[in-house]
Amino acid sequence: MKSMEGIQHKTVSVNGINMHIAEKGEGPLILFIHGFPELWYTWRHQINGLSALGYRALAPDLRGYGGTDAPDCVADYTCFHVVGDLIALLDTEAPQDKVFVVGHDWGAIIAWFLCLFRPDRVKALFNLSAPFIPCDPRFKPVETLEVLLGKDYYIVRFQEPGEIEAEFAEISLRQAVLELLSYRIPDPLYLPKENLFGHPLDCPVNLPPWLSDQDADYYANQFQETGITGALNYYRNIDTDWELLAPWWKSQIQVPVKFAMGDHDLVYTMPGVKDYIHNGGFKRNVPFLEEALVINGVSHWINEEIPDQINQLLFDFFSKFN
């Protein structure tokens, strides 16, 4: 597979778990943090593109994903655990250095946490798809999402351990993962019981143009091997994370930031997000935000959908800090 050529793989011991990482290139380090239901593999185009431009690209499988250990306990997937993994990884791979960070989806949320907790380790951040939303300890996120979007909203449906796993198994985990990775509608994702993705499931998933059959096989095979519970446990800690973040309420992100998302991203169309991004709220909470770029015609899977454009944006931004 051409996209894998030259990418080195190894396992490192971090924060009490074994973590699989993929890396390529030499130079200033860029840490790439994937989202759901992704893997290090979501960054294959960026690993190749940025390593060719003089950077060392490093992309782990987060805990619960791919070749990295998946602790059994739901409580082992809080923001503290996951950021702890990444700090331990940086201590191993780039001790004493500040690094560039790129995150997408859940990876973007984790990157915001990383900058909140340890800005001393981050030279600059480029986040995709998930803007920084400061925690407000006066309300619970899952309960609020259920009120706004209903019981079938995917984050609400993910909360009960084992329940959605069993439903995914009924249609096949492969089918479920590929349905999720192919979702490109600018509307909330609903997963009603008995009709998970809203259409008959007896035909192959209609893959988007940026996801080849080989790509689909890689993702599907990895999740079939590991299961998806570890990945879902991030969602099952949303309320816990909110409580843990209470000491940082009203804290700002104090590192240089650039942000991009597509106007067809399901996050962009969530209640209040457009107003927050465009009318000053985002900039107040991220004072060193250089730009919040909304790209027309692009969906949630932005780094895979328009990889060359994202690579150029990353290079242009990070070059200012070398």
Side-chain angles (χ1 to χ4, degrees):
M1 190 183 293
K2 188 176 180 183
S3 61
M4 308 282 264
E5 285 179 7
I7 298 176
Q8 304 295 314
H9 297 265
K10 65 181 180 182
T11 300
V12 293
S13 178
V14 299
N15 197 26
I17 63 170
N18 295 308
M19 173 174 273
H20 164 251
I21 61 172
E23 62 177 329
K24 186 176 182 180
E26 296 182 0
L29 191 146
I30 305 175
L31 174 66
F32 290 94
I33 312 174
H34 69 78
F36 172 89
E38 299 177 306
L39 300 158
W40 74 268
Y41 189 79
T42 191
W43 301 114
R44 61 199 178 281
H45 304 300
Q46 284 69 47
I47 292 171
N48 286 319
L50 274 295
S51 64
L53 293 169
Y55 289 88
R56 179 187 175 198
L58 190 153
D61 284 333
L62 296 177
R63 67 166 55 205
Y65 285 88
T68 295
D69 287 351
D72 291 331
C73 184
V74 173
D76 287 338
Y77 291 82
T78 71
C79 55
F80 287 170
H81 290 88
V82 182
V83 173
D85 297 344
L86 296 176
I87 290 295
L89 176 62
L90 294 180
D91 286 344
T92 299
E93 298 297 317
Q96 313 306 321
D97 288 351
K98 285 191 172 189
V99 303
F100 296 117
V101 178
V102 183
H104 172 254
D105 183 79
W106 256 106
I109 296 170
I110 294 159
W112 293 124
F113 295 157
L114 174 62
C115 293
L116 205 58
F117 304 154
R118 293 296 303 272
D120 58 303
R121 299 307 305 272
V122 180
K123 194 180 296 184
L125 168 68
F126 198 127
N127 253 351
L128 301 166
S129 294
F132 175 61
I133 308 292
C135 101
D136 183 337
R138 295 171 297 184
F139 68 90
K140 289 186 177 293
V142 175
E143 183 180 277
T144 302
L145 289 169
E146 185 171 339
V147 169
L148 286 173
L149 296 164
K151 292 183 183 297
D152 288 340
Y153 185 57
Y154 77 105
I155 291 175
V156 179
R157 292 279 280 118
F158 285 174
Q159 292 305 308
E160 184 61 37
E163 186 174 289
I164 198 73
E165 288 96 324
E167 293 179 45
F168 283 169
E170 284 183 25
I171 65 169
S172 90
L173 185 52
R174 176 189 179 86
Q175 179 95 6
V177 167
L178 296 184
E179 290 278 359
L180 291 166
L181 288 171
S182 300
Y183 189 84
R184 51 194 190 277
I185 304 166
D187 294 313
L189 172 60
Y190 294 107
L191 298 174
K193 290 185 180 182
E194 313 303 332
N195 189 23
L196 278 179
F197 292 97
H199 60 82
L201 297 168
D202 54 358
C203 56
V205 179
N206 182 22
L207 296 175
W210 59 87
L211 204 63
S212 71
D213 290 336
Q214 281 185 318
D215 297 332
D217 285 344
Y218 187 87
Y219 281 116
N221 291 341
Q222 288 284 299
F223 280 101
Q224 284 176 313
E225 187 172 325
T226 65
I228 201 168
T229 296
L232 293 167
N233 283 341
Y234 288 70
Y235 291 93
R236 293 165 182 157
N237 277 284
I238 288 176
D239 283 348
T240 300
D241 284 345
W242 214 245
E243 294 173 7
L244 294 172
L245 285 161
W248 286 270
W249 187 30
K250 299 185 180 179
S251 294
Q252 297 172 317
I253 300 295
Q254 297 286 346
V255 304
V257 174
K258 189 159 180 169
F259 178 81
M261 73 189 312
D263 70 340
H264 283 50
D265 193 317
L266 75 168
V267 178
Y268 187 57
T269 58
M270 284 182 67
V273 170
K274 291 180 185 177
D275 178 70
Y276 174 69
I277 288 175
H278 297 297
N279 292 327
F282 193 15
K283 179 70 173 177
R284 276 195 302 275
N285 293 320
V286 186
F288 300 106
L289 177 67
E290 179 186 275
E291 184 181 18
L293 187 63
V294 178
I295 302 173
N296 291 335
V298 178
S299 79
H300 183 67
W301 314 104
I302 183 169
N303 51 299
E304 296 192 76
E305 187 172 347
I306 51 168
D308 293 342
Q309 186 174 346
I310 294 301
N311 289 354
Q312 189 63 53
L313 289 168
L314 291 172
F315 180 75
D316 291 345
F317 182 56
F318 291 152
S319 294
K320 300 174 182 180
F321 303 95
N322 286 336

